[in-house]
Amino acid sequence: MPSNVLPPAMETAELIWRDGVPESTKFGDVYFSRDDGLAETRYVFIERNHLPERFHSLGAYGHFVIAETGFGTGLNFLATWSEWLKQRPSEGDHAILHFISVERYPLSRADLRKALESWPELAPMAQELILHYPPLINGTHRLVLAGGRVRLTLYLGDVLDAWDDLEFQADAWFLDGFAPSLNPDMWLETAIGKVRTHSKPGTTLATFTSVGRVRRALAAEGFAMAKVAGFGRKREMLIGKLPVTENAPPQAHSPQSVAIIGAGIAGATLARNLAERGVPVILVDEAPEPGSGASGNAQGALYAKLGVDYNDQTELAVTALAFSQRFYQRWESEFWHPTGLLQLASTEQEQDRQRRFLSRNHYPDDVLSQVTAGEASELAGIPIHREALWFPQSGWLQPAMACNTLIEHPAISAMFDFRVESIRRERGQWVLHGPNNQQITAATLIIAAGHRTASIAPRVQGTEIRLKPIRGQVTQLRSESTQLPQVVICGTKYLNPPYNGYAITGATFDLRDNTPFPTLESHRENLEQLAQLLPSVNISGPADASELQGRVAFRCTTHDYQPAAGACPAKDEDYANGAYLLTGFGSKGLTWAPLMAEYLADRICGHPPCLNRRLSRRVDAERLYRKPLTDR
């Protein structure tokens, strides 16, 4: 890929292969030892950082953080993953390995697969890594592996940007990458200063190099450095450790119990995420079953409308889309249907927007590509009369079934038909008061109640919460009387493929309509706009709009149309500890929920967050709180 490629795509590594070993043409150096790359990784990084004994001694709910300066082929990561499982073989163990790595020139999926074929003992882990390997776009990617016992945060971009963007404190460092003489920027004093910033008392490091400039720079940052015997033909290498002080902060612990108000897709994904980390969850909802609100439609499309410019908002959206596609993979045979998705521009304004989008951006084909009208028609199985954007990894879900499936976990208990009447903080616990003197008590509270969040959430005196409900009505089309696509199509409306004889189209976007039941007017709006978007669907099949079935739900949207995931403001002492919001997903709840749940669970459990600092600020819940205009 040329170096002048448009964002957000990355310039991939250019390799030559000598005797099965990949070598970088840019740096003129090998990715691993020609003699035995796996043995070298184990000797240099795993043994010299004393990882086997440190992994083994970690508590059952602890976490261990390793940071690496060059991901390369992923060999170091896979070797560490293997050692982690060797030292912690129990499936009931809830300790998590967090591996944070940076790569400026990532390998293509094909090159990654070829490079890792040399290590058959790592094959199961390599296959899982390749399956979850993210699209090669600039930014931060979280991969949840080994059933959640291993989490890889892969930053694609410059190493200095990574250490500025990411929040973590490492327990151990793999100072990998090519030799300092071949790749000097990685070893600048600035980079080593950032290594120190992300370290804590007791942090260790290891590196192939024994260069004096590197040793002196690390020593100047407080690391006790030493030269030790290198691997194979390399005579020496460096190891280091930050001295342990009596005032070293203790590792954060996961909460003893969590209550989540709201059993829609937001609450269900967060409940599942926390439960798989070993956190007991009480899920509360006023409805009789999960997925009864905005997550209750029979079908929902998984898509994101990406910005014309690749800014923080666009980065957040595409990160969420890619993460959700990986997240739902394990339920493909149940509620997830990855048919692919076509995005059409049906108006002149949208067509102009799409042209500008394509001229300013380059996305890898596994994210999206432009297709002709003929190609779109072949993909959809129905005539399409305009060019489109093709999202091959997207599709549609059965949202209510997703909510039901996600909460099926032994660490999740659910209480339905429980309308929260008041919330109080009593003796360090949250107490939810419901009907008939019922109470629920938990150490941590999350409000994920959709459009009811603003009325339930803890208040900060003198402020209002900037959330609003938006009505959306969907319409059900019978497959026997319409020509329906075999992929999801979206534009001014979306249309799903048929399932059990029906397909869902919609939804209306009613800012000032609070009608809770389907209306004939909204059905007509859905049908008329769908006819403009897709004339070939032949929606005149139903005799009359009044005969159609549909459903109304109220989405919850923030003032800036960005999701909210984070702690409630701590300005009121009564609500200063352990209260969080997870809300504001609008019409993209299926896309936002998995990533926002992962991020909030990271925060709640004190783990390295999956979002960088810029994107964390975009979803900060405190931005929703403001004083009313009359008070300013």
Side-chain angles (χ1 to χ4, degrees), residues 323-631:
F323 185 88
S324 65
Q325 291 164 349
R326 294 192 296 272
F327 175 78
Y328 293 126
Q329 278 179 355
R330 58 174 149 163
W331 292 289
E332 182 172 339
S333 61
E334 298 178 60
F335 59 76
W336 166 229
H337 306 273
T339 58
L341 179 147
L342 288 167
Q343 185 172 307
L344 309 184
S346 57
T347 66
E348 289 187 9
Q349 182 180 4
E350 281 297 304
Q351 290 166 14
D352 177 66
R353 183 186 186 280
Q354 195 169 104
R355 282 192 292 270
R356 288 184 288 117
F357 172 83
L358 290 167
S359 68
R360 298 181 192 180
N361 299 276
H362 177 76
Y363 285 86
D365 287 346
D366 55 351
V367 178
L368 66 89
S369 60
Q370 185 182 28
V371 293
T372 65
E375 291 168 333
S377 299
E378 185 174 348
L379 289 165
I382 62 173
I384 304 290
H385 302 294
R386 55 177 60 88
E387 294 179 340
L389 298 180
W390 170 241
F391 292 77
Q393 305 297 326
S394 278
W396 65 276
L397 295 92
Q398 295 163 268
M401 183 183 292
C403 294
N404 272 283
T405 303
L406 288 167
I407 68 172
E408 291 177 359
H409 191 282
I412 300 173
S413 59
M415 185 170 288
F416 296 107
D417 293 311
F418 187 104
R419 184 177 180 86
V420 177
E421 296 175 349
S422 66
I423 301 173
R424 301 188 190 284
R425 183 86 170 158
E426 299 177 8
R427 295 186 294 277
Q429 297 281 304
W430 292 98
V431 181
L432 312 183
H433 297 270
N436 303 318
N437 296 318
Q438 290 179 296
Q439 290 187 2
I440 295 172
T441 302
T444 300
L445 173 67
I446 295 103
I447 315 294
H451 71 280
R452 290 199 63 229
T453 297
S455 63
I456 296 174
R459 293 283 175 173
V460 175
Q461 188 173 4
T463 65
E464 62 180 5
I465 304 178
R466 293 187 286 180
L467 294 170
K468 56 186 176 184
I470 298 179
R471 180 183 183 272
Q473 179 176 319
V474 297
T475 299
Q476 192 179 78
L477 300 178
R478 291 194 296 269
S479 54
E480 64 188 29
S481 56
T482 51
Q483 188 176 4
L484 297 171
Q486 59 193 20
V487 303
V488 181
I489 298 178
C490 63
T492 49
K493 295 294 176 185
Y494 69 83
L495 177 63
N496 290 296
Y499 186 77
N500 288 339
Y502 293 90
I504 297 297
T505 188
T508 61
F509 190 86
D510 307 319
L511 282 168
R512 287 173 287 275
D513 185 349
N514 296 321
T515 307
F517 50 82
T519 66
L520 184 59
E521 180 183 3
S522 292
H523 279 319
R524 285 174 174 161
E525 177 187 328
N526 283 336
L527 296 181
E528 288 170 3
Q529 292 192 16
L530 182 60
Q532 294 173 9
L533 180 70
L534 290 169
S536 61
V537 170
N538 185 27
I539 57 172
S540 60
D544 191 283
S546 62
E547 298 178 8
L548 293 168
Q549 299 295 312
R551 185 175 183 275
V552 169
F554 290 87
R555 318 170 183 102
C556 179
T557 307
T558 62
H559 63 289
D560 55 8
Y561 295 97
Q562 295 290 279
C568 295
K571 297 172 184 176
D572 188 321
E573 200 169 298
D574 289 337
Y575 300 119
N577 299 301
Y580 299 84
L581 297 184
L582 183 64
T583 190
F585 294 174
S587 61
K588 305 296 190 299
L590 298 174
T591 303
W592 286 126
L595 181 65
M596 293 300 101
E598 177 77 3
Y599 170 71
L600 190 54
D602 287 340
R603 290 294 192 192
I604 291 169
C605 296
H607 294 183
C610 61
L611 297 182
N612 60 44
R613 297 179 193 274
R614 293 176 291 105
L615 302 190
S616 294
R617 286 192 291 269
R618 290 204 70 82
V619 303
D620 182 25
E622 191 164 349
R623 79 185 197 280
L624 304 184
Y625 288 73
R626 71 165 185 180
K627 290 186 176 182
L629 290 172
T630 55
D631 294 343

Side-chain angles (χ1 to χ4, degrees), residues 27-239:
F27 297 108
D29 201 1
V30 293
Y31 278 85
F32 46 73
S33 168
R34 296 188 184 280
D35 297 328
D36 190 336
L38 181 56
E40 179 185 47
T41 288
R42 286 171 171 160
Y43 177 87
V44 173
F45 294 121
I46 294 176
E47 294 175 17
R48 300 289 81 78
N49 274 300
H50 307 288
L51 296 186
E53 54 265 45
R54 294 169 77 185
F55 287 173
H56 185 76
S57 63
L58 191 67
Y61 292 88
H63 65 278
F64 197 94
V65 181
I66 294 173
E68 177 187 52
T69 50
F71 187 73
T73 65
L75 179 59
N76 294 342
F77 168 62
L78 293 178
T80 307
W81 178 356
S82 175
E83 186 64 33
W84 176 259
L85 296 185
K86 178 181 176 182
Q87 298 301 329
R88 311 194 69 89
S90 171
E91 290 292 336
D93 181 18
H94 294 293
I96 295 176
L97 171 65
H98 280 277
F99 197 98
I100 300 168
S101 188
V102 184
E103 184 55 63
R104 175 62 182 83
Y105 301 100
L107 270 66
S108 69
R109 189 185 298 267
D111 282 338
L112 183 70
R113 182 181 290 107
K114 182 177 179 180
L116 295 177
E117 286 175 351
S118 301
W119 320 112
E121 66 184 278
L122 301 177
M125 288 162 286
Q127 290 169 6
E128 189 172 350
L129 172 63
I130 292 165
L131 176 65
H132 289 84
Y133 198 52
L136 299 185
I137 56 178
N138 190 281
T140 309
H141 306 269
R142 167 65 60 84
L143 279 63
V144 180
L145 305 161
R149 300 171 68 193
V150 175
R151 282 174 155 85
L152 169 64
T153 304
L154 182 57
Y155 187 101
L156 299 183
D158 182 79
V159 68
L160 297 182
D161 292 338
W163 303 150
D164 282 338
D165 274 359
L166 300 177
E167 297 179 63
F168 67 92
Q169 293 295 109
D171 293 290
W173 281 90
F174 295 180
L175 297 184
D176 200 354
F178 301 106
S181 60
L182 300 172
N183 190 17
D185 289 345
M186 184 174 287
W187 298 99
L188 290 172
E189 283 74 5
T190 303
I192 291 174
K194 295 181 188 300
V195 167
R196 174 63 183 88
T197 300
H198 287 288
S199 300
K200 58 191 176 184
T203 294
T204 63
L205 63 85
T207 176
F208 292 111
T209 188
S210 60
V211 173
R213 182 166 66 95
V214 175
R215 177 179 55 80
R216 289 189 295 272
L218 287 164
E221 292 292 343
F223 286 92
M225 299 299 299
K227 285 185 179 180
V228 297
F231 177 81
R233 300 176 221 177
K234 189 157 180 61
R235 190 174 67 178
E236 294 177 317
M237 58 169 281
L238 293 175
I239 61 172

Side-chain angles (χ1 to χ4, degrees), residues 254-310:
S254 299
Q256 296 178 339
S257 61
V258 171
I260 300 176
I261 303 176
I265 195 65
T269 50
L270 179 60
R272 183 61 174 243
N273 196 305
L274 290 169
E276 291 184 346
R277 299 183 194 223
V279 179
V281 176
I282 306 168
L283 190 63
V284 182
D285 201 291
E286 65 181 8
E289 58 186 4
S292 295
S295 302
N297 291 338
Q299 294 179 305
L302 186 73
Y303 74 104
K305 188 171 183 178
L306 304 178
V308 171
D309 296 308
Y310 194 73

Side-chain angles (χ1 to χ4, degrees), residues 14-18 20-25 28 31 34 114:
E14 294 184 6
L15 307 180
I16 55 173
W17 297 82
R18 303 182 194 274
V21 176
E23 180 177 319
S24 167
T25 59
Y31 278 85
R34 296 188 184 280
K114 182 177 179 180

